Amino acid sequence: MKKPFVTKEMVEEIVKTYPTPFHIYDEKGIRENAKALKEAFAWNKGYKEFFAVKATPNPFLIRILNEYGCGCDCSSLTELMLSDAMDIRGEDIMFSSNDTPAEEFAYAEKLGAIINLDDFTHIDFLEKTLGYIPKTISCRYNPGGYFSIANSIMDNPGDSKYGFTTEQIFEGFRVLKEKGAEHFGIHAFLASNTVTNEYYPVLARSLFELAVKLQKETGAHISFINLSGGIGVPYKPEDAPNDIRLIGEGVRKVYEEILVPAGMGDVAIYTELGRFMMAPYGHLVTRAIHEKHTYKEYIGVDACAVNLMRPAMYGAYHHITVLGKEDAPCDYQYDVAGSLCENNDKFAIDRMLPRIEKGDYLVIHDTGAHGFAMGYNYNGKLKSAELLLKEDGSVQLIRRAETPKDYFATFDCFPVYEKMKL
């Protein structure tokens, strides 16, 4: 059973100031997790986590991670700007982008970020943009085919738009070295949301073996290997969570087996975790405002896919707790729906839950990553506030809710904009 980090009493107090729906994050949980990750890879002198800003682009939360030595993994101009505004610059930024505009490469270089190239053709594009190739550069690797662990297919990299092929990365390193690059990194993301302690060690083995061959055949000095993201979280109550310390130890063993004997014991290990760092420490809190009895039983809530797109977009499971009824039997079957003019705007389908009454507060779990961040404004819906549950029990507003003025702000070119009376 998943236990929320807020209670009915806490939410009843919070809504006096901040109405539902809202996202709320658990500072204590975020800190404990960041500390565990740091300890899990403490054996590697150069280890660094570059938090995937795309997952939860909120400076209040990123600052917490930064206290534990985390940098930023950015994929766009605005994410670079956010990092810069937090004084996170230089090699504390990994710029992992694709189909990248020239101005974004230029801005990343201006900040001193490590640029992680997604494609062989981007080598010439980057050189034309900057007038040179940075001395430190990384390339994203895609081995193609299927990625498997113990005969179980985890994902299909061959169908992914990202990365260099094996042949391209060898040629790419040669070309980059000729153009002045001195320190090289290898990056790969081969499976998403893996709930297994074996993913990172298996990925590490593949990348470590590649690194040894690359350094030997191209003469390029491999400075770091970026295992990227992919460590998942247990969205369903019956799923066991990953053990980050066990994962770190598994990577260490492969490192000492492959890299150390090859004279590459100085290679730094990087990660770019987003979901693992934040997802379990965020809730979407919403209130039941309608019930509908037709061909199915529906509960209508004041949140919708604007606040959490994953169930509508992917059919993703997010656990739901009805606050104050944690111990009640789940003997009612509901579709929990939002108010968008889209039939897929549902947080749960045929979900067994306690009897829900209008006014009940529902906690939708594991929304701390790819929750608020994926929000949009379809139907003119406005994004909700983000709150932080501090370690001392107080609640801090870390992003206000949108207003109609925000929604209409880009219509300031409309001749009768002032008539909107915003």
Side-chain angles (χ1 to χ4, degrees):
M1 177 63 66
K2 282 181 174 284
K3 184 177 179 181
F5 55 78
V6 292
T7 63
K8 179 182 179 183
E9 292 71 26
M10 292 169 66
V11 168
E12 287 174 337
E13 190 62 31
I14 291 169
V15 298
K16 292 177 182 177
T17 307
Y18 307 110
T20 55
F22 55 77
H23 285 272
I24 188 166
Y25 305 90
D26 177 24
E27 180 182 10
K28 182 174 183 290
I30 293 169
R31 288 187 179 278
E32 289 177 350
N33 192 49
K35 182 173 180 287
L37 174 68
K38 186 175 181 179
E39 291 172 354
F41 286 91
W43 55 267
N44 183 258
K45 185 178 179 180
Y47 173 73
K48 192 169 190 69
E49 155 67 5
F50 294 85
F51 173 66
V53 175
K54 67 178 76 67
T56 319
N58 189 300
F60 290 90
L61 302 177
I62 295 171
R63 279 203 183 281
I64 294 173
L65 298 181
N66 191 235
E67 291 179 31
Y68 296 86
C70 298
C72 289
D73 164 46
C74 299
S75 59
S76 68
L77 177 64
T78 49
E79 290 180 2
L80 288 167
M81 293 172 68
L82 180 61
S83 299
D84 186 27
M86 291 186 288
D87 297 321
I88 299 174
R89 305 186 186 96
E91 293 196 352
D92 284 337
I93 299 176
M94 182 72 63
F95 185 54
S96 295
S97 180
N98 71 95
D99 198 19
T100 309
E103 58 268 26
E104 297 193 9
F105 275 138
Y107 192 72
E109 176 65 6
K110 178 183 176 182
L111 296 183
I114 300 171
I115 293 175
N116 181 37
L117 295 175
D118 179 66
D119 184 68
F120 183 84
T121 64
H122 292 180
I123 297 173
D124 284 343
F125 186 78
L126 180 65
E127 185 177 33
K128 289 175 182 176
T129 298
L130 304 179
Y132 58 89
I133 290 293
K135 292 189 181 301
T136 298
I137 196 80
S138 178
C139 294
R140 183 166 182 166
Y141 174 58
N142 184 336
Y146 290 92
F147 180 79
S148 301
I149 298 176
N151 296 322
S152 296
I153 294 174
M154 306 300 292
D155 219 321
N156 181 12
D159 197 39
S160 167
K161 70 175 183 176
Y162 306 110
F164 289 59
T165 67
T166 302
E167 181 180 311
Q168 287 172 343
I169 200 166
F170 276 85
E171 181 61 19
F173 272 40
R174 292 188 185 96
V175 171
L176 287 164
K177 188 168 182 287
E178 290 172 1
K179 292 179 180 292
E182 297 177 2
H183 308 288
F184 291 78
I186 307 169
H187 171 287
F189 180 88
L190 302 186
S192 179
N193 193 39
T194 62
V195 188
T196 168
N197 296 324
E198 297 304 311
Y199 170 61
Y200 256 14
V202 171
L203 173 63
R205 179 176 293 279
S206 174
L207 294 186
F208 295 170
E209 290 173 348
L210 175 67
V212 171
K213 292 177 182 177
L214 276 168
Q215 185 154 298
K216 181 179 179 181
E217 295 184 23
T218 69
H221 174 247
I222 311 294
S223 297
F224 61 86
I225 295 173
N226 190 339
L227 302 178
S228 188
I231 296 179
V233 299
Y235 285 100
K236 295 183 177 180
E238 62 268 24
D239 293 338
N242 284 313
D243 184 334
I244 195 60
R245 289 182 173 84
L246 193 60
I247 290 169
E249 177 62 14
V251 175
R252 183 192 67 78
K253 288 179 180 178
V254 181
Y255 187 98
E256 293 185 353
E257 177 189 338
I258 297 172
L259 292 183
V260 172
M264 298 174 67
D266 61 342
V267 173
I269 300 300
Y270 295 162
T271 56
E272 290 174 357
L273 298 167
R275 191 190 317 262
F276 178 80
M277 300 304 294
M278 288 287 185
Y281 314 109
H283 292 335
L284 173 58
V285 180
T286 184
R287 185 169 60 91
I289 58 174
H290 289 289
E291 57 184 57
K292 184 173 183 176
H293 317 285
T294 54
Y295 303 105
K296 302 179 77 171
E297 293 294 305
Y298 292 93
I299 293 294
V301 296
D302 59 4
C304 64
V306 162
N307 308 106
L308 179 65
M309 188 194 291
R310 296 185 75 253
M313 187 173 186
Y314 303 124
Y317 179 96
H318 281 264
H319 196 63
I320 295 175
T321 296
V322 183
L323 292 179
K325 299 181 179 180
E326 290 86 347
D327 298 323
C330 295
D331 49 6
Y332 284 79
Q333 181 172 289
Y334 296 109
D335 280 15
V336 179
S339 59
L340 287 188
C341 298
E342 291 289 341
N343 193 47
N344 66 351
D345 181 24
K346 297 176 181 178
F347 296 111
I349 298 173
D350 296 332
R351 184 77 58 88
M352 299 304 298
L353 292 165
R355 173 77 174 94
I356 298 174
E357 300 168 279
K358 286 186 282 187
D360 281 347
Y361 293 105
L362 280 64
V363 160
I364 303 177
H365 290 253
D366 301 311
T367 66
H370 310 292
F372 181 95
M374 294 180 73
Y376 57 117
N377 289 117
Y378 184 56
N379 278 182
K381 295 293 185 177
L382 304 175
K383 296 178 186 176
S384 61
E386 290 183 292
L387 311 176
L388 179 63
L389 177 62
K390 307 275 286 182
E391 288 187 292
D392 63 6
S394 64
V395 173
Q396 178 184 2
L397 177 69
I398 59 174
R399 191 195 303 259
R400 67 167 174 82
E402 287 184 336
T403 67
K405 186 175 182 179
D406 297 312
Y407 180 77
F408 291 116
T410 51
F411 284 130
D412 56 1
C413 54
F414 185 56
V416 291
Y417 177 73
E418 67 279 0
K419 290 187 178 180
M420 294 178 181
K421 299 178 181 180
L422 301 172

